[in-house]
Amino acid sequence: MKRITFGAQMLICFVVIAVGDCAATAFDIPILFNIASALGGAAFVLHPVLPAWVTWGDKKTMLNAVRVGGVLATALALLTRFNV
């Protein structure tokens, strides 16, 4: 199975969050933005990737740091309230 690159995953997350924001605005359901943001963070928890130019440090440690960042982004999306 081909692994998704960092740039492709960032683009996918951006599109998911943009669609969630547009849907939240169009349907007047603010929770859709939070759900889309949580999905964007969860993508990095489930499939952590690094940019190709990152060459320093231990790769396993850095991927764990990306997972922690994904958990923090997901928690932030679930704990905050958008447009209330």
Side-chain angles (χ1 to χ4, degrees):
M1 181 175 169
K2 184 177 177 185
R3 293 189 53 93
I4 299 174
T5 64
F6 179 77
Q9 185 161 339
M10 288 295 291
L11 181 65
I12 291 168
C13 289
F14 175 75
V15 168
V16 166
I17 292 171
V19 168
D21 189 30
C22 291
T25 304
F27 299 123
D28 199 25
I29 305 172
I31 194 73
L32 292 178
F33 178 76
N34 294 79
I35 292 170
S37 298
L39 287 175
F44 283 95
V45 174
L46 298 175
H47 185 266
V49 289
L50 294 171
W53 54 267
V54 175
T55 57
W56 65 88
D58 181 28
K59 186 172 182 175
K60 184 176 179 182
T61 304
M62 296 178 82
L63 288 176
N64 285 336
V66 170
R67 281 191 176 104
V68 169
V71 168
L72 292 175
T74 303
L76 182 67
L78 293 176
L79 293 176
T80 59
R81 295 191 309 178
F82 173 70
N83 198 16
V84 176

